[in-house]
Amino acid sequence: MVKDNSGQVSLEYILIFVVSLIILIVFTMPLVNQSISASMDISDSLKIKSDMSKIAVAIKTVYGEGQGSRQIVNIYSSHPFEVNVESDYLYCDIHLKDRSNKHIEVPSKSNLESTAISLKKGSNVVTVEWPVGGENMLIST
C-alpha cells in the first residue's frame, strides 16, 4: 500500500503562496498609494500651469493689439485656485497631497497692475481687456 501525500503538499504550496501574496500586498499597497498621490499632484500641477498659460497668451495678445482689444478665455478647473497677476508673470501656489506647496510661475509681459483672480471649481470665464483711453489693462473673472 502506497500512501499519497500529494494533497498535503498541494495544500502547503497554496498556503505558502497565499501568505506570500498577503505579505507582498501589505508592503506594496502603501507604495502604490504614494505613487498614485504623487502622479495626481503632477497632473494637477500641469493642468493648472496649462490654464495659466492660456491666460498668459490672452494677456500677451491684448498687450500686443493695444487699446480697445479684448480676449476671453474659458477654463474648466477641477480644483479652485487663485492666480496672482504681476506685470511680468503669473503665479500660483498650490497645496499638494503630501502637505507641501508648489509654486507655479508663467511669464507674461503686460501693463497689468498687481492683482489676483480666483478660479472656482468648474467652468470659469476670464476676460482680459485694454479699454480705449485706459492706461492699464484689466483682467476679471
Side-chain angles (χ1 to χ4, degrees), residues 37-58:
S37 293
S39 297
M40 293 302 291
D41 283 341
I42 291 170
S43 174
D44 291 343
S45 298
L46 290 175
K47 175 71 173 122
I48 289 173
K49 187 168 186 172
S50 171
D51 293 341
M52 289 173 50
S53 294
K54 290 178 188 176
I55 296 170
V57 167

Side-chain angles (χ1 to χ4, degrees), residues 75-103:
I75 294 175
Y76 183 82
S77 175
S78 58
H79 300 291
F81 64 97
E82 186 171 284
V83 177
N84 297 296
V85 181
E86 300 291 335
S87 62
D88 293 334
Y89 59 93
L90 306 173
Y91 71 93
C92 177
D93 293 316
I94 62 170
H95 303 289
L96 304 177
K97 289 180 178 66
D98 65 353
R99 295 189 177 104
S100 64
N101 291 328
K102 180 168 178 76
H103 181 80

Side-chain angles (χ1 to χ4, degrees), residues 7 9 21 28 48 50 72 85 99-100 111 113 115 129-130:
V9 172
L21 192 61
T28 58
I48 289 173
S50 171
I72 296 174
V85 181
R99 295 189 177 104
S100 64
N111 66 353
E113 294 182 1
T115 187
E129 63 183 326
W130 193 346

Side-chain angles (χ1 to χ4, degrees), residues 10-59:
S10 295
L11 182 62
E12 289 172 354
Y13 281 133
I14 290 173
L15 191 60
I16 289 171
F17 178 73
V18 168
V19 168
S20 300
L21 192 61
I22 289 171
I23 290 172
L24 182 67
I25 288 172
V26 165
F27 287 114
T28 58
M29 285 306 283
L31 296 175
V32 169
N33 191 22
Q34 258 183 341
S35 65
I36 289 173
S37 293
S39 297
M40 293 302 291
D41 283 341
I42 291 170
S43 174
D44 291 343
S45 298
L46 290 175
K47 175 71 173 122
I48 289 173
K49 187 168 186 172
S50 171
D51 293 341
M52 289 173 50
S53 294
K54 290 178 188 176
I55 296 170
V57 167
I59 290 171

Side-chain angles (χ1 to χ4, degrees), residues 51-52 54-63 65 68-75 83 85 90 110-113 115-120 123-131 136-141:
D51 293 341
M52 289 173 50
K54 290 178 188 176
I55 296 170
V57 167
I59 290 171
K60 289 177 187 178
T61 302
V62 170
Y63 186 67
E65 291 176 357
S69 61
R70 168 189 236 167
Q71 287 282 316
I72 296 174
V73 180
N74 293 313
I75 294 175
V83 177
V85 181
L90 306 173
S110 69
N111 66 353
L112 282 166
E113 294 182 1
T115 187
I117 55 172
S118 295
L119 300 176
K120 62 185 187 319
S123 183
N124 296 281
V125 177
V126 178
T127 305
V128 181
E129 63 183 326
W130 193 346
N136 292 326
M137 297 167 45
L138 303 172
I139 188 168
S140 61
T141 53

